[in-house]
Amino acid sequence: MIFKGLLEDARSIRDRDPAARTTLEVVLLYQGFHALFYHRQAHWLYKHKHFFLARALSQFARHMTGIEIHPGATIGKRLFIDHGMGVVIGETATIGRNVKLYQGVTIGAKSFKANPDGSLVKGVKRHPDILNDVVIYANASVLGGNTVIGNGAVIGGNAWVTRSVPDGVTIPSNYVG
């Protein structure tokens, strides 16, 4: 099942990148595809409570691709990470179908809750939900566990987004809010 979905991912990248000539080229040469290949396996390990192995595989993938995807992140079909160096996707993030991320994008936490003794609260939602058909341009940061980026939204480059964005809305480059 993991590998069947990966072929769909590779074909989707080929179809959405004007520079891609063949599916084989994507499979062999695209770091965004390689990161997704490793993530799909690491996520399976994570869901089956093999946390150490999942993290080890995700860190290997980070080393190989420059893209860091926590194995707990839930990623839908046909994610395209274009020029992916520096992309970070946090543990509790969810990413829908047909999403495109460019280099340097962070899908991260805005803050961390603490217990009265100062220790961090674990197991809570800290990272955004990115719905379907979203494009997030280079170096944008989308932060916070209550943040939802709606279907078809576009986030401009260098934007700093900490609030939800409705379906179909475009957030301009260099936006802060």
Side-chain angles (χ1 to χ4, degrees):
M1 181 66 177
I2 290 173
F3 295 105
K4 182 181 177 188
L6 282 164
L7 184 56
E8 183 178 351
D9 292 331
R11 287 177 177 151
S12 172
I13 292 168
R14 178 203 62 207
D15 293 346
R16 292 160 60 197
D17 184 354
R21 289 174 175 75
T22 67
T23 304
L24 183 61
E25 177 183 16
V26 170
V27 168
L28 295 177
L29 303 176
Y30 275 57
Q31 67 184 9
F33 176 78
H34 297 159
L36 199 53
F37 172 82
Y38 291 120
H39 173 74
R40 300 279 191 220
Q41 296 169 71
H43 186 67
W44 185 92
L45 289 167
Y46 186 88
K47 288 190 68 116
H48 288 86
K49 303 195 184 312
H50 300 288
F51 300 117
F52 183 84
L53 289 174
R55 279 304 290 252
L57 183 55
S58 73
Q59 289 303 298
F60 173 77
R62 177 179 170 262
H63 174 75
M64 296 301 292
T65 67
I67 298 167
E68 183 171 344
I69 307 173
H70 191 285
T74 301
I75 296 178
K77 294 179 179 182
R78 299 178 298 277
L79 172 64
F80 180 13
I81 302 173
D82 199 4
H83 307 289
M85 187 62 72
V87 167
V88 176
I89 301 172
E91 178 182 23
T92 62
T94 61
I95 297 179
R97 297 180 313 277
N98 301 315
V99 171
K100 187 172 189 179
L101 307 177
Y102 284 89
Q103 68 272 16
V105 167
T106 298
I107 310 297
K110 185 167 66 172
S111 61
F112 304 100
K113 293 181 181 177
N115 293 309
D117 67 0
S119 64
L120 292 179
V121 175
K122 299 197 182 230
V124 297
K125 177 92 169 121
R126 303 181 310 280
H127 303 95
D129 294 324
I130 312 300
L131 301 185
N132 303 316
D133 305 305
V134 172
V135 177
I136 304 178
Y137 284 97
N139 300 311
S141 294
V142 181
L143 308 174
N146 294 325
T147 303
V148 177
I149 306 302
N151 293 302
V154 176
I155 308 297
N158 297 308
W160 178 269
V161 179
T162 60
R163 293 183 223 154
S164 292
V165 175
D167 291 352
V169 170
T170 297
I171 299 297
S173 295
N174 301 312
Y175 170 88
V176 176

